[in-house]
Amino acid sequence: MKIKNEYIKIKTNKEIVLHNYIYDNYLKIFSTTQYDENELYKNENKDLNHCFIKFDTELEDIQNASRTDFDISIASSQNEIVGNKQEINALYTYTTRRGIYVINKREATNDLNQYAGKKVTALAFGNSEIMACVDTSNYNVYIVQDEEFNVSRKDIITSDAICIGSDYPIHLAPLFKTYEYESTKGIFMANIYAKLHSIGLGATIGRMEEEYIIGKDINVIKESDTSFGFNLRKGNEQSVYPQNNLYSDDNLYPLPLYVQHEIHPQINSYCSEEKYPLASNYKYVIYKYQLYYIDRGSAIHELQQFYTMSYATEVKGLFEIVNKIERN
């Protein structure tokens, strides 16, 4: 999985296009919220719903900034997500039209003119904490009297696996669909998230033929804050199965599926009484994700809705597959 900041566009009396640095803590959220029950509540932090603005003085370290390094923040006024089986495009628009939050005073204002003539030296994006930042000190960006200040950004998140059962990989989405649920206090809306339910093997995309439930049949191996993996085994010698005259014992037992010779219909090869298709080896490692929402009381509710991510591999024997998210 990779996250790429396609652009940052700043628009006052001119338009400037930049790229920002994405923080490790933002990458971490996309990784740990897939499998760690204690991290599921951080999904909402994927939404970069605020833009932070610094004036006049340069930011000391764009790779390690905090909210208090900035003077004001503005909220996103329009968000959009466009996705397919392997990619998500997230678009944000931030504007002073919706108001301004003065960080050191902890108060809101609608008066941008009080900052007229000030130079914008840095922008950051996030919510409760900074998730991405860009230095603008060399671009002569200023607040202009009686004009709005607008910023837009586009992020692209991609996966090597193919999504089946959903329009796009929901676990990689920084913006969310909503779910309506009813409680004793009324009807409410909640964001829909996705977590890893199981991992398995299959011969075709999206169809598991061996499935291992996370935490029950198989455990997650945490490699780092941005990567995790599993130990799996695919057959590397001819499969053996119990038969009427063949029983399991200490030295003889069923082996993982491995077909030594696969036969499939071809243009010049047809099925007959003596010739028929043979089973295919497992060609995909398949991740199954389950949808859920978090209610107003912070309880997690699992929905009986799933989708899969299929990753093609020809590896055989015992192997570890690692799921990693990184900057592009």
Side-chain angles (χ1 to χ4, degrees):
M1 300 180 296
K2 292 185 178 180
I3 297 181
K4 176 185 179 181
N5 175 229
E6 183 75 0
Y7 61 71
I8 303 292
K9 293 183 179 179
I10 306 170
K11 189 172 183 180
T12 53
N13 58 342
K14 58 182 179 179
E15 183 176 89
I16 296 174
V17 180
L18 304 169
H19 303 279
N20 68 200
Y21 177 80
I22 296 174
Y23 283 14
D24 287 343
N25 56 342
Y26 193 55
L27 300 179
K28 176 184 177 182
I29 294 173
F30 283 88
S31 181
T32 58
T33 53
Q34 293 186 52
Y35 64 88
D36 190 337
E37 294 287 334
N38 296 320
E39 297 284 301
L40 299 184
Y41 302 95
K42 296 182 180 179
N43 262 300
E44 61 184 18
N45 291 338
K46 295 175 183 175
D47 183 2
L48 305 179
N49 51 30
H50 281 81
C51 173
F52 302 88
I53 304 170
K54 183 174 179 60
F55 296 126
D56 296 338
T57 58
E58 294 186 18
L59 189 63
E60 292 184 3
D61 185 0
I62 67 164
Q63 296 185 16
N64 189 32
S66 65
R67 287 167 54 101
T68 55
D69 291 324
F70 295 83
D71 297 293
I72 63 173
S73 69
I74 56 178
S76 58
S77 60
Q78 183 177 352
N79 301 330
E80 182 182 2
I81 189 168
V82 179
N84 58 39
K85 300 301 182 183
Q86 291 184 279
E87 181 178 287
I88 290 172
N89 290 256
L91 299 95
Y92 304 83
T93 301
Y94 311 87
T95 178
T96 53
R97 190 186 311 120
R98 294 189 62 185
I100 302 161
Y101 183 75
V102 184
I103 294 173
N104 64 343
K105 294 182 180 180
R106 297 184 179 181
E107 63 181 25
T109 179
N110 291 315
D111 182 17
L112 181 62
N113 282 336
Q114 64 182 300
Y115 302 104
K118 286 187 173 294
K119 183 178 182 180
V120 177
T121 57
L123 297 176
F125 303 87
N127 33 70
S128 59
E129 59 182 310
I130 302 299
M131 298 295 184
C133 190
V134 59
D135 184 354
T136 61
S137 59
N138 294 326
Y139 293 91
N140 293 320
V141 180
Y142 293 87
I143 301 298
V144 179
Q145 182 81 21
D146 296 326
E147 289 192 10
E148 294 178 0
F149 183 79
N150 298 314
V151 178
S152 60
R153 70 175 290 129
K154 178 181 179 182
D155 294 331
I156 301 176
I157 307 168
T158 58
S159 172
D160 293 330
I162 299 172
C163 181
I164 299 294
S166 176
D167 293 336
Y168 53 80
I170 294 173
H171 63 286
L172 298 181
L175 304 171
F176 316 105
K177 296 180 180 179
T178 56
Y179 178 80
E180 183 178 280
Y181 69 94
E182 185 175 358
S183 73
T184 56
K185 297 182 179 180
I187 297 176
F188 302 99
M189 302 297 293
N191 290 333
I192 294 178
Y193 308 120
K195 63 176 181 174
L196 195 56
H197 172 75
S198 60
I199 186 171
L201 301 168
T204 57
I205 293 176
R207 181 180 177 183
M208 282 189 184
E209 295 178 50
E210 288 187 19
E211 182 175 8
Y212 307 99
I213 307 298
I214 306 301
K216 179 182 177 182
D217 304 317
I218 195 170
N219 293 319
V220 175
I221 302 171
K222 183 176 179 180
E223 303 283 347
S224 69
D225 284 342
T226 57
S227 65
F228 63 93
F230 299 92
N231 285 330
L232 293 173
R233 185 182 181 189
K234 286 173 62 181
N236 58 357
E237 52 186 304
Q238 186 67 31
S239 300
V240 177
Y241 301 99
Q243 303 173 28
N244 290 337
N245 58 351
L246 184 65
Y247 304 94
S248 299
D249 61 27
D250 291 341
N251 298 313
L252 186 64
Y253 44 84
L255 297 176
L257 175 68
Y258 176 65
V259 179
Q260 194 169 28
H261 182 55
E262 299 180 23
I263 297 179
H264 306 283
Q266 302 174 28
I267 294 177
N268 58 353
S269 179
Y270 304 94
C271 296
S272 67
E273 292 182 356
E274 298 179 351
K275 184 185 292 185
Y276 45 85
L278 295 180
S280 170
N281 284 308
Y282 295 149
K283 292 181 170 60
Y284 295 92
V285 174
I286 302 174
Y287 298 82
K288 181 187 284 188
Y289 289 85
Q290 183 173 21
L291 304 189
Y292 69 95
Y293 69 92
I294 301 175
D295 68 20
R296 293 167 67 90
S298 297
I300 296 171
H301 297 268
E302 297 176 344
L303 302 175
Q304 294 307 307
Q305 299 178 41
F306 302 86
Y307 65 91
T308 61
M309 300 292 294
S310 300
Y311 177 78
T313 177
E314 296 296 330
V315 69
K316 297 180 178 67
L318 182 65
F319 67 98
E320 181 181 8
I321 185 165
V322 177
N323 188 307
K324 183 177 183 179
I325 188 158
E326 55 190 356
R327 304 173 190 86
N328 189 348

